[in-house]
């Protein structure tokens, strides 16, 4: 029964994580978002209007205003994972004579990750204001399809540079807008996109390193105990050879926190690794998340990405964001 409950918790965790990624990345036209919208419409017919209104106000405040709740959640999850790693995994692995550099690798990655987390959170992503809009208006050409020349933002009343978008959470237009990330409580734009990519890379590497070390320890425990060579008595009183399911159940009972953490970081490594690969693809093709998803709405051949400058040029642009060229001196 314990194994079944933990398995169900894993399934719920995976589904919630996927849902959070889809909802918080600003992709309003994705199928999970449309599914959630349909579900909300159905529930609104059976839920009292007062409850429904209060829930909507709460969700709007949670998802469409700037606050530090998800930053605190992000830091709390890191504390829990690293607490378990330091409390059990690190000590047990030292007893089994794992290499010290390998055991210290997650801490090194954590240090680098926290540095880029701060840079993502505190760096101005490229907010466009009336005072600085001239710096961005001529950085990119208007493609005439996704970005129209002469367009003015209805919310902040600035002339919209090509590749900019108004963020309703930050209440500002952002130069080379990618998305608003609740986990760093900031928009990802021209001036912090490079930091965000490294942040994702180190976060994926952290989860992968902890997963590999923890899995290696558990495999070593099973190997040294010769558990796979033994037998167990089932509910009917019959002796059966130890199989994989029995080993997993045994490890759950022996190291419950460690195995639960392992499942969590494996899921995290897969999701973050996939997201990093997607982000790297966008960088190499000189697209943003907003542009990529918006381009899906156009019919085939109706939209062409005019901003790609080749792989090397695209990498340089991320490292050194484009701004309007300075006027030529006479």
């Amino acid at each position: 029964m314990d194994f079944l409950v933990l398995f169900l918790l894993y399934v719920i965790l995976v589904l919630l994580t996927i849902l959070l990624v889809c909802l918080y990345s600003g992709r309003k036209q994705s199928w999970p978002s449309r599914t959630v919208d349909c579900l909300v419409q159905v529930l609104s017919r059976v839920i009292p209007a007062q409850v429904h209104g209060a829930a909507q106000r709460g969700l709007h405040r949670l998802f469409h205003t700037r606050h530090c709740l998800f930053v605190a959640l992000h830091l709390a999850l890191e504390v829990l994972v690293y607490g378990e790693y330091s409390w059990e995994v690190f000590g047990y692995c030292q007893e089994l004579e794992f290499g010290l550099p390998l055991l210290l690798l997650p801490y090194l990655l954590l240090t680098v990750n926290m540095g880029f987390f701060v840079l993502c959170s505190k760096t101005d992503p490229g907010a466009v204001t009336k005072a600085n809009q001239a710096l961005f208006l001529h950085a990119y050409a208007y493609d005439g399809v996704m970005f129209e020349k002469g367009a003015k933002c209805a919310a902040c009343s600035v002339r919209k540079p090509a590749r900019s978008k108004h963020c309703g959470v930050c209440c500002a237009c952002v130069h080379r807008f990618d998305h608003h990330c609740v986990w760093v409580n900031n928009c990802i734009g021209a001036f912090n996109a490079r930091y965000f990519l490294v942040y994702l890379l180190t976060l994926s590497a952290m989860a992968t390193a902890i997963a590999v070390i923890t899995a290696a320890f558990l495999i070593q425990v099973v190997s040294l105990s010769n558990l796979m060579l033994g037998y167990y008595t089932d509910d009917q009183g019959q002796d059966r050879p130890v199989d994989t399911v029995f080993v997993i159940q045994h490890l759950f009972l022996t190291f419950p926190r460690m195995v639960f953490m392992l499942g969590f970081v494996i899921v995290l490594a897969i999701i973050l690794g996939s997201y990093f690969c997607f982000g790297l693809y966008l960088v190499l093709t000189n697209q943003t998340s907003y542009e990529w998803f918006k381009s899906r709405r156009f019919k085939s051949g109706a939209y062409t990405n005019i901003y790609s400058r080749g792989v090397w040029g695209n990498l340089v642009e991320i490292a050194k964001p484009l701004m309007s060229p300075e006027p030529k001196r006479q």
Side-chain angles (χ1 to χ4, degrees):
M1 187 64 177
D2 293 336
F3 178 76
L4 179 60
V5 171
L6 288 171
F7 176 75
L8 290 175
L9 286 175
Y10 280 147
V11 173
I12 293 171
L13 176 64
V14 172
L15 295 176
L16 284 177
T17 305
I18 294 173
L19 184 62
L20 289 175
V21 170
C22 293
L23 289 177
Y24 301 156
S25 57
R27 300 162 192 173
K28 298 182 180 178
Q29 299 302 318
S30 60
W31 66 264
S33 296
R34 292 196 297 269
T35 304
V36 171
D37 290 340
C38 293
L39 182 60
V40 169
Q41 290 178 3
V42 172
L43 291 177
S44 65
R45 299 178 182 274
V46 296
I47 296 177
Q50 292 180 340
V51 176
H52 179 65
Q56 280 195 325
R57 289 192 296 272
L59 289 173
H60 183 271
R61 183 176 179 82
L62 185 64
F63 299 144
H64 299 288
T65 58
R66 292 194 72 176
H67 54 76
C68 296
L69 176 62
F70 291 102
V71 174
L73 176 60
H74 167 231
L75 295 177
L77 288 173
E78 286 193 344
V79 169
L80 290 174
V81 169
Y82 272 86
E84 173 59 23
Y85 177 79
S86 303
W87 181 258
E88 285 193 323
V89 179
F90 191 91
Y92 286 144
C93 288
Q94 277 190 313
E95 293 179 8
L96 293 180
E97 299 182 349
F98 279 55
L100 187 59
L102 175 64
L103 297 180
L104 293 177
L105 178 60
Y107 298 108
L108 174 62
L109 292 170
L110 176 64
T111 303
V112 177
N113 177 261
M114 290 307 298
F116 281 97
F117 170 78
V118 173
L119 287 173
C120 285
S121 301
K122 299 302 182 182
T123 300
D124 179 4
V128 182
T129 63
K130 291 182 179 180
N132 69 5
Q133 62 183 354
L135 296 174
F136 308 116
L137 282 174
H138 304 291
Y140 294 102
Y142 292 88
D143 60 10
V145 179
M146 197 177 295
F147 304 104
E148 297 285 348
K149 189 173 184 179
K152 196 172 184 179
C153 179
C156 53
S157 301
V158 299
R159 294 168 61 191
K160 296 186 68 173
R163 309 191 78 181
S164 68
K165 181 185 179 298
H166 185 84
C167 175
V169 180
C170 295
C171 300
C173 284
V174 177
H175 179 49
R176 202 182 184 278
F177 176 85
D178 191 275
H179 70 287
H180 182 88
C181 180
V182 295
W183 302 108
V184 300
N185 197 27
N186 199 7
C187 277
I188 305 303
F191 299 120
N192 63 353
R194 57 189 183 273
Y195 304 140
F196 184 72
L197 196 65
V198 182
Y199 164 75
L200 271 182
L201 174 62
T202 53
L203 202 58
S204 305
M206 283 164 49
T208 302
I210 292 177
V212 168
I213 293 171
T214 305
F217 164 74
L218 294 175
I219 291 172
Q220 189 83 334
V221 167
V222 173
S223 176
L224 292 175
S225 64
N226 293 321
L227 185 61
M228 295 299 295
L229 302 178
Y231 290 82
Y232 72 96
T233 304
D234 61 14
D235 296 337
Q236 285 74 37
Q238 296 181 348
D239 290 338
R240 296 183 179 276
V242 170
D243 54 15
T244 304
V245 174
F246 178 85
V247 170
I248 294 175
Q249 290 177 330
H250 175 75
L251 292 176
F252 260 118
L253 294 174
T254 310
F255 307 103
R257 293 190 304 271
M258 191 184 300
V259 175
F260 188 83
M261 180 199 70
L262 175 61
F264 176 73
V265 293
I266 287 176
V267 172
L268 207 59
I270 293 172
I271 293 175
L272 291 173
S274 301
Y275 191 32
F276 169 75
C277 292
F278 176 66
L280 184 61
Y281 161 76
L282 294 178
V283 168
L284 296 178
T285 57
N286 206 328
Q287 300 180 79
T288 64
S289 297
Y290 169 71
E291 293 165 1
W292 190 88
F293 278 94
K294 192 173 181 180
S295 68
R296 304 300 103 181
R297 307 177 193 174
F298 297 103
K299 294 180 180 179
S300 179
Y303 172 76
T304 302
N305 178 22
I306 67 170
Y307 301 112
S308 181
R309 305 161 62 195
V311 172
W312 178 249
N314 296 337
L315 288 171
V316 171
E317 184 178 314
I318 286 294
K320 188 177 180 181
L322 292 183
M323 298 177 68
S324 297
E326 295 182 2
K328 296 181 179 179
R329 297 179 179 179
Q330 299 294 332

